[in-house]
Amino acid sequence: MHNALVELGFDEHVEREFNKLSGITAQSRFGRVRRIDRGWSTYWCVNVEEMSSARDVSESRVRNIGTDVAVGDWIVVSEDGEKIITVIPRRSQLIRRASPEDSPAEAQVVAANIDVIFLVHALDGAPNQRRLERELVLAFDSGAQPIVVLTKSDVSAITAVNEARRAIEQSSLGVPVLVVSSVTGDGLTEVRKHVRSGSTAVVLGASGAGKSTLINALTGTDSQQTGEVRRGDKRGRHTTTAAELVALPNHGWLIDTPGVRTVGLWTSGHGLERAFADIFGLADNCRFRDCKHENEPSCAVLAAIESGALNADRLAAMRRLVAEEAALEEQQRRAKKR
């Protein structure tokens, strides 16, 4: 039987967590957040009593000040629609550091309850492997499946496309890498295959990477504004100003996110180990368990660099991210003592 909530992504996890709640009335509202604006959440909802047989959903807005809520969240709202009673615990979330490194650490949940993360990089500039590595750490920690999408293949020579793809694959370590043109439609079918019915994908990338153009191509609409890219540095204007849940024509959902110039890491679970699995795998063969891969004897990582099997820049990048994460953890530890 058709159920509008199932189409929105309602699944066993959400149902299980909802059933743990108490004090929810039949006229309370239950739904999923579509868009976040300053102080407000726009969400699709039904009355609680209609959840099992909802044929359609209505759109409403509710104040979210003081509530940790993100696009993709499932929420319960009071009968009068004035207050978010609770946010259903997330099964996955894309979270990054929103504050500068010299400021108190603040996290930003970019998207919640997601299945796939499309990491968008444009082919009209040099491959940014260091940014991709950061994005992969965030993606692996989110609990969703990362997919790299290389856009603007229509403005790049085939040799340049192949070279860029090889460079990106050196950092993606088996994560699927798709090449698309949002203008001609080449490669879009492969992208759509990764978003099944009821699932949610988030699109993450720098300004000018072609995120909004990609979403317009996938949805068959002009719902996302697009802008010109500066010739000098290939940076684009911030055409997406708020994260938003957008429907695909046949099934599934996409969350567009505002472009970010820097990708700040938050406390990592196993993201670093998975994003740099090649280095961690080599480290298992080092003579010393606490090998720093600097000048220790019988270091498998340094041996791989010397033989050309591992790029020294990749080890340096991992060290920077490890140091950044350690500094963040120390900052959080100090903050808790205050």
Side-chain angles (χ1 to χ4, degrees):
M1 181 178 66
H2 168 82
N3 187 301
L5 290 180
V6 173
E7 288 190 1
L8 274 178
F10 185 85
D11 57 15
E12 292 180 356
H13 167 82
V14 181
E15 182 177 22
R16 182 170 58 251
E17 295 297 330
F18 177 83
N19 289 335
K20 295 178 182 178
L21 302 177
S22 60
I24 306 300
T25 68
Q27 295 302 311
S28 298
R29 304 179 186 183
F30 175 80
R32 194 174 192 197
V33 176
R34 181 182 73 80
R35 180 183 171 95
I36 298 288
D37 293 292
R38 189 183 298 272
W40 291 91
S41 294
T42 302
Y43 66 109
W44 286 305
C45 64
V46 299
N47 287 344
V48 167
E49 64 182 357
E50 303 169 341
M51 287 175 57
S52 62
S53 58
R55 301 300 299 274
D56 202 358
V57 293
S58 60
E59 183 173 290
S60 188
R61 299 180 79 204
V62 62
R63 279 285 187 183
N64 58 29
I65 296 175
T67 303
D68 178 21
V69 62
V71 171
D73 267 326
W74 291 91
I75 59 175
V76 180
V77 178
S78 59
E79 291 185 8
D80 59 10
E82 295 296 321
K83 180 182 179 181
I84 296 177
I85 297 174
T86 189
V87 177
I88 300 296
R90 300 157 182 153
R91 59 178 172 79
S92 60
Q93 60 180 351
L94 177 60
I95 183 170
R96 72 179 184 95
R97 179 170 181 162
S99 56
E101 290 186 11
D102 57 351
S103 301
E106 294 181 4
Q108 177 191 19
V109 179
V110 178
N113 300 305
I114 53 178
D115 302 278
V116 177
I117 299 180
F118 292 125
L119 306 176
V120 180
H121 288 246
L123 286 164
D124 60 350
N128 192 337
Q129 293 166 291
R130 305 291 82 87
R131 180 186 176 97
L132 176 60
E133 289 159 350
R134 284 177 165 271
E135 292 173 341
L136 285 170
V137 173
L138 294 180
F140 283 128
D141 276 330
S142 75
Q145 168 65 45
I147 307 288
V148 181
V149 180
L150 304 181
T151 62
K152 306 184 182 182
S153 63
D154 55 294
V155 298
S156 305
I158 187 63
T159 54
V161 170
N162 291 336
E163 289 177 4
R165 183 169 189 164
R166 283 194 293 269
I168 289 296
E169 287 176 341
Q170 289 176 358
S171 296
S172 60
L173 300 183
V175 170
V177 178
L178 310 179
V179 176
V180 307
S181 167
S182 300
V183 175
T184 67
D186 289 345
L188 293 180
T189 298
E190 290 301 312
V191 176
R192 293 189 180 99
K193 287 180 180 178
H194 290 279
V195 188
R196 55 178 172 75
S197 179
S199 67
T200 303
V202 61
V203 183
L204 181 67
S207 297
K211 297 186 297 86
S212 295
T213 305
L214 174 65
I215 287 181
N216 285 342
L218 292 171
T219 60
T221 69
D222 292 323
S223 61
Q224 309 300 300
Q225 293 183 342
T226 59
E228 295 293 329
V229 176
R230 298 200 299 256
R231 291 184 180 181
D233 57 11
K234 298 298 182 181
R235 289 180 174 177
R237 299 188 181 98
H238 292 266
T239 55
T240 302
T241 57
E244 186 171 5
L245 193 65
V246 183
L248 288 173
N250 297 321
H251 59 262
W253 303 87
L254 289 175
I255 298 177
D256 189 13
T257 60
V260 289
R261 297 248 165 87
T262 59
V263 183
L265 296 185
W266 193 242
T267 304
S268 174
H270 299 287
L272 275 166
E273 289 89 341
R274 295 184 67 183
F276 293 91
D278 52 347
I279 298 177
F280 279 87
L282 287 167
D284 288 339
N285 297 315
C286 292
R287 175 187 292 182
F288 303 109
R289 186 178 297 275
D290 60 348
C291 184
K292 299 294 189 296
H293 321 306
E294 294 174 348
N295 52 17
E296 297 90 342
S298 301
C299 172
V301 174
L302 295 181
I305 292 175
E306 185 175 352
S307 69
L310 177 68
N311 192 313
D313 290 341
R314 187 159 166 78
L315 176 61
M318 189 194 76
R319 283 175 171 158
R320 285 194 295 271
L321 296 184
V322 169
E324 182 178 327
E325 184 173 273
L328 173 61
E329 290 176 349
E330 176 62 18
Q331 190 179 57
Q332 290 175 316
R333 186 185 65 79
R334 291 179 179 177
K336 289 179 180 179
K337 287 186 174 182
R338 294 173 185 164

